[in-house]
């Protein structure tokens, strides 16, 4: 298994990364509807870290949006490319995520990230960053509300409430299972917030988290374990 090195020219510190964010944020599109719900191909991406070995593994899993069957998958393992800085996590993850997407043989119509899009201090989370770089519609589904506030949505599946930065709605708390704590959905690029929530509900027929995230999470963890074993054995 090849371990990807940090790409040439990748931001090396917080100042450089903030400048990149500022330059790309203006390219985010939030007034396109995105692909019709339940049609085409949807990819989930996720990452896993082994800080002790300086490794990050990314997985991209493509599902048929109608049946939710897996039609393609790929992984990539790289060096951790950026220090941990809140609000700049995309710079740690994107080289491996982009490599995993590039390794797919089937191009998705939509990408679902385990994280944030507009629900970000500078309105440019991983889903927005990835969407701008790839040109693909992208959204984020996170497990927690980050630093934003919300009121509990109703107890039934499909209930939602605004995720707020002051008075600005940056996403929604969305109930995907009756009586189960909500997930936190935000638009990333080329999809509206309403569309992002509709896609999330279509991808959660049985569990709290989207099927895209569940498959990608398991795959990137397995890739990381295999990479650690290979590195430990010198292969």
């Amino acid at each position: 298994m090849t371990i990807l090195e940090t790409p040439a020219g990748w931001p090396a510190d917080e100042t450089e990364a903030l400048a990149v964010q500022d330059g790309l944020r203006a390219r985010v599109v939030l007034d396109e509807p995105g692909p019709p719900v339940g049609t085409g191909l949807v990819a989930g991406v996720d990452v896993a870290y082994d800080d002790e070995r300086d490794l990050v593994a990314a997985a991209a899993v493509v599902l048929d949006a109608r049946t939710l069957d897996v039609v393609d998958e790929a992984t990539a393992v790289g060096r951790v490319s950026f220090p941990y800085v809140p609000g700049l996590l995309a710079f740690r993850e994107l080289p491996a995520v982009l490599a995993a997407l590039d390794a797919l043989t089937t191009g998705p119509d939509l990408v679902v990230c385990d994280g944030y899009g507009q629900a970000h201090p500078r309105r440019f989370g991983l889903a927005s960053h990835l969407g701008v770089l790839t040109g693909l519609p992208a959204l984020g589904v996170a497990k927690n509300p980050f630093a934003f506030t919300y009121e509990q949505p109703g107890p039934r599946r499909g209930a939602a409430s605004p995720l707020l930065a002051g008075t600005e709605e940056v996403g929604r708390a969305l109930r995907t299972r009756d009586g189960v704590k909500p997930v936190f959905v935000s638009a990333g690029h080329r999809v509206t917030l309403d569309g992002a929530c509709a896609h999330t509900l279509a991808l959660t027929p049985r569990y709290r988290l989207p099927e895209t995230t569940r498959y990608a999470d398991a795959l990137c963890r397995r890739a990381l374990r295999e990479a650690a074993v290979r590195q430990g054995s010198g292969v």
Side-chain angles (χ1 to χ4, degrees):
M1 177 181 292
T2 301
I3 306 297
L4 304 171
E5 298 299 332
T6 301
W10 198 249
D13 57 33
E14 185 173 354
T15 299
E16 292 182 10
L18 288 171
V20 171
Q21 270 193 348
D22 288 341
L24 294 177
R25 185 172 54 239
R27 293 166 53 184
V28 171
V29 174
L30 297 174
D31 59 358
E32 291 187 11
V37 175
T39 66
L41 301 173
V42 57
V45 296
D46 201 3
V47 299
Y49 292 98
D50 186 332
D51 289 317
E52 182 178 338
R53 295 179 172 85
D54 190 37
L55 294 176
V56 56
V61 180
V62 180
L63 307 185
D64 181 307
R66 183 179 63 83
T67 64
L68 301 184
D69 293 333
V70 175
V71 298
D72 196 9
E73 61 182 43
T75 61
V77 179
R79 301 295 177 191
V80 175
S81 56
F82 195 81
Y84 174 78
V85 180
L88 297 176
L89 296 183
F91 291 94
R92 288 169 62 86
E93 302 178 357
L94 272 171
V97 169
L98 290 169
L101 284 170
D102 285 343
L104 292 170
T105 59
T106 306
D109 302 298
L110 174 74
V111 180
V112 178
C113 299
D114 178 27
Y116 307 94
Q118 292 298 291
H120 180 273
R122 288 176 290 280
R123 308 300 179 265
F124 199 68
L126 175 64
S128 295
H129 202 150
L130 182 62
V132 167
L133 290 183
T134 63
L136 292 168
L139 62 97
V141 181
K143 301 178 186 72
N144 62 70
F146 196 47
F148 302 111
T149 61
Y150 70 101
E151 294 186 359
Q152 283 290 337
R156 303 302 298 271
R157 170 179 161 82
S161 62
L163 187 62
L164 298 171
T167 59
E168 179 187 359
E169 185 180 33
V170 296
R172 288 192 191 136
L174 178 66
R175 192 86 65 186
T176 56
R177 303 299 301 157
D178 289 356
V180 173
K181 62 183 179 179
V183 296
F184 301 91
V185 180
S186 55
H189 180 59
R190 297 186 59 203
V191 65
T192 64
L193 181 54
D194 285 343
C197 289
H199 281 292
T200 300
L201 285 173
L203 293 166
T204 53
R206 294 182 297 275
Y207 302 101
R208 175 182 178 235
L209 295 177
E211 292 296 284
T212 43
T213 299
R214 286 167 26 82
Y215 282 116
D217 173 76
L219 185 58
C220 70
R221 291 178 186 276
R222 184 165 73 242
L224 185 64
R225 289 194 300 269
E226 291 173 356
V229 170
R230 287 175 178 267
Q231 189 178 72
S233 64
V235 176

